[in-house]
Amino acid sequence: MTTLAAPLTPPRLTSSFLRVLAFCTSLCLSALAFAADAPKQPFNLPADSAEKSLRNFSQQSGLEVIFPSKLVQGVRTNAVTGEMPARDALDAMLADTGLVVVQDRNTGAFSVRKETAAESKNAVRVVEKIVRPEKILKRDESGLLKLDTFTVTGTQIRGGQPTSPLVTIRDTEMRMSGHNDLGEVIRALPQNFSGGQNPGVQSGAPSSVTGSQANQNFSGGSSLNLRGLGPDATLVLLNGARLPYDGFTQATDITVIPTSAINRIEIVLDGASAIYGSDAIGGVANVILKRDYNGAEISARIGSATDGGFNNQQFNATTGTTWKSGGLIIAGEIYNVGQVKSNQRKYLPTTLGDTTLYPSSKQRGILFSGHQRIGADIEFTLDGFYTSRKHSQTVDDRTNHMINFVRSESEIFGISPSLRLSLPMDWSLCLQGSWGSNKIDWDLDVLADDATKLLDQPTRYENRASSASVQSEGPVFHLPGGDARLSVGGGWREGTFQSFDLTTSTANVSGEDRSYYNYAEINLPVVGEKQKIALVRKLIFNGAIRHEEYRSFGGTTTPKIGALWSILAGIDIKASWGRSFKVPTLNEQFQVPTISLARPIARGNPPGSAGTAVLELRGGNRDLHPARAEVLTVGFVARPENIPGLDIEVNSFTIDYTDRVRFPIAPITQALTNPAFSSFVKLNPSNSEIASAFSAVGRAAALPGYATSASFSSPPVDALLTAYNSGLVYALVDNRQANVAKQYMNGIDASLRYRMNAFNGKLVLSATGSWIIESTRKLTAMAAEQEAAGTAFFPANFKGRIGATWSQGGLTLSTNANLISGVTDTTVAPTKRTDSMLTIDAICNFATHSELFGDLEVNVAATNLLNRHPPLFGAHPLGLSDWANYDSTNYSALGRLVSVAVIKKF
């Protein structure tokens, strides 16, 4: 059975396309107006080992240089001083060393490789297109070492250029951002929403507003939530392999990877189910580890919030080595964070008491990544990690005279082996497997004011995932622009989830699902540079299709097509369209359904309902099917050849997301009176309908007795067996998980980066922002359309970041301004809009080399330098004392954070 999403609404699609086309045209004209020779820069590069000289060149030029460590071992470079273009300095430094460089026309990045005999004889300087991702070494026919290109995230084609927007965050950028872990790094990304499973998200992000349980801090972990489509709608990979899900919302915890082992994160801002399968609706994030790492590094960071709390200590150790046919890197991390309490923030209500705003956490992690070449044509890789975390927080519920203590202990690990074979005619074959687990022991203790224990709810949540795949890739025929390349493959994936009550030894959720898939992707370079066609320097089309068969619901097929049109050197227009899907989580499918009684007065109080009861169903639903999305992106990239330091990119996105799984009745207090919920409410149900409802939860409907004086606040049916009478049931309400919600969104992403010489050093200016122009949602088919973006507990309409980084020698100074627009609080009448939040970050990094200390770095960072607090709501309409009166999914109450780090390299 194959089901495809409905097409996009034409007027909305046309409007979005015209908007970005006009913007792209203006930027294109601006970019073409620039004309300049390659800028000169000051260089002071003493003769030294090639590895150290190349790193110094990269630091002084601000340009990336890619080189395998073993390729440059034993090579000594020439001294270079004075002002000159970066390329000239690099050529002079490597003259007569047997090494040459190739340069990326788009980015200005350099790649170092072995000089061929012809190049040595003729002294040819090569400038060609390179791809920046991972490299491996292999030998060509003459026995010389050459670089072979791995695929970039967003395509399975080697050397292919994805037509989807791609954001790359490198390890140096993470270090200069002032953030402590990977969770903080991704929460600062303008296209990411901080709601979902993230530290600091409060109980003030209610499911009654969003219709979802996703906005909460469950385990202390951090999840990506691109476009705010949900933490389970962004796929997260580690070196291309899936990570296990986290908790009962089944997001993916990205902070389990030690930061010192990370080379970069590549984020595809587009639907990608045709390439990667389920979950890739908002996008895909691939954490790529360091490779061919030689040496060791230890670091220590301490910091705190100046208003109190968030005392943190972070210790990292990384070591790696390479040998002739492989390499290994091992990294470990210890990270402790102290909690922040509401009474430490004077602008918050005193009624919050000791409520935790940010939890305490103790995390320990270790990771290894190795690769070994076997002969000339086989390479084996193995990645693995283990992380443990303890997390705790408190909710001071003074309205009900209770204190809730939440504690959890997590263990997360994963392992992913792969075997890559080089085949004849430039084909390759890759076999990959993965297995991982995320286990959380979670405990909720509820104490009364007199310390009486009212509730003890220890629960274990365990997600397991395993997969195996085979993929082959290579050229199929030749086109004017180059070889058409094809990637085909297939595999299987299995996931299991169990929620286990440790007190009663019973499972609340126990389920598994398995899928088999096959896919094909093709890249067609129709026009190339050699044809010299005016205004069509390059024209590339690509397409992918994937079919999956799930044991739970059947089959689904998702296509994707894209195009890249290079008008002039460095001026590209990209577009892609595709369908994506998200399989219901195992919790949504297999959560044990419950049945309960409630008073009609608490469900809308319709006339004639006095003295009766409402019978309610809630929980999982085995009949769910996938949520589906149709995603269109149109983009413009300008990297003018005459201005190698300038990068401009603008992308328009349109997302039509349907059949989302939600509890269909939200808020439940309107169940009997809101017409939008009528299809889930049966008035005056018959005995057979009631019996069917009880059968759905595995219980008998013949329950004796009913007392109208009984309390019906929504207790479990077991406590009301003697109070039930089918003749007094006013309505049967089915509020189990269902494919009911829809969301439409369009907007624009824009980024600018410019590298230049200034103030006797290298200056990099950057600006990036994401603007959600329109975002509407419908909780059910009959519900009214509501605004999503710009309202509380949904993404703000605008999130942006402007920065400047200046470096000279070993000194680097960086500052960033972060802006999040205000949101409207819809929980009060009349609604109220908050102010926006602007924060400033400042970071200073000093690297030095001395005989006494060797290679040493000191990093001082202050985020939210001006100590801005989150914009506040008014009083809660229900008068709840545990109400955190700010939107914790968009804004942080941490305030000014100051940290100092020392990094020692060996």
Side-chain angles (χ1 to χ4, degrees), residues 545-622:
I545 190 166
R546 182 182 180 110
H547 180 78
E548 298 205 24
E549 284 288 335
Y550 279 82
R551 187 170 62 183
S552 58
F553 64 86
T556 182
T557 299
T558 47
K560 184 171 184 177
I561 57 175
L564 185 149
W565 170 26
S566 182
I567 305 174
L568 297 171
I571 309 268
D572 298 337
I573 290 178
K574 301 188 295 183
S576 70
W577 168 91
R579 288 182 169 131
S580 292
F581 72 101
K582 190 191 81 64
V583 174
T585 68
L586 295 176
N587 182 63
E588 291 167 344
Q589 295 181 67
F590 294 98
Q591 183 182 12
V592 174
T594 61
I595 193 165
S596 62
L597 292 171
R599 283 186 175 185
I601 194 174
R603 299 296 179 258
N605 195 26
S609 62
T612 63
V614 178
L615 199 61
E616 295 180 352
L617 282 170
R618 189 176 175 89
N621 189 342
R622 301 288 182 91

Side-chain angles (χ1 to χ4, degrees), residues 210-214 229-230 232-233 249-250 281 553 581-591 619-628 657-665 735-743 778-780:
T210 62
S212 169
Q213 294 179 311
L229 297 174
D232 56 351
T249 58
Q250 296 187 276
I281 288 181
F553 64 86
F581 72 101
K582 190 191 81 64
V583 174
T585 68
L586 295 176
N587 182 63
E588 291 167 344
Q589 295 181 67
F590 294 98
Q591 183 182 12
N621 189 342
R622 301 288 182 91
D623 295 326
L624 296 173
H625 56 264
R628 304 183 185 277
Y657 193 6
T658 61
D659 291 340
R660 298 191 66 178
V661 176
R662 289 288 183 266
F663 291 117
I665 304 176
N735 199 27
R736 290 174 296 175
Q737 303 267 14
N739 294 97
V740 292
K742 298 181 180 181
Q743 186 169 352
K778 294 183 69 172
L779 287 181
T780 67

Side-chain angles (χ1 to χ4, degrees), residues 104-106 128-131 159-161 480-482 523-541 563-574:
D104 189 325
R105 283 193 176 103
N106 283 343
E128 61 185 39
K129 173 70 182 175
I130 65 169
V131 179
Q161 293 177 262
N523 188 71
L524 303 170
V526 177
V527 177
E529 299 177 37
K530 294 181 180 179
Q531 293 171 267
K532 298 182 179 179
I533 299 176
L535 298 180
V536 188
R537 183 173 177 268
K538 187 186 302 181
L539 183 62
I540 300 172
F541 295 101
L564 185 149
W565 170 26
S566 182
I567 305 174
L568 297 171
I571 309 268
D572 298 337
I573 290 178
K574 301 188 295 183

Side-chain angles (χ1 to χ4, degrees), residues 108-122:
F110 296 104
S111 177
V112 179
R113 63 173 174 79
K114 198 79 171 179
E115 185 179 46
T116 66
E119 289 170 339
S120 177
K121 180 179 179 180
N122 300 313

Side-chain angles (χ1 to χ4, degrees), residues 86 180 249 298 348 397 409 446 516 731 789:
N180 298 292
T249 58
I298 58 174
L348 294 179
D397 186 358
E409 295 187 10
V446 182
Y516 299 88

Side-chain angles (χ1 to χ4, degrees), residues 149-192:
T149 311
F150 268 20
T151 56
V152 68
T153 307
T155 177
Q156 301 285 14
I157 303 291
R158 280 182 296 161
Q161 293 177 262
T163 53
S164 298
L166 182 69
V167 173
T168 301
I169 305 173
R170 303 193 173 277
D171 58 341
T172 52
E173 294 173 301
M174 288 187 264
R175 181 169 292 182
M176 292 307 300
S177 68
H179 299 128
N180 298 292
D181 61 30
L182 203 51
E184 293 183 16
V185 171
I186 59 102
R187 283 193 288 276
L189 183 71
Q191 295 84 1
N192 189 66

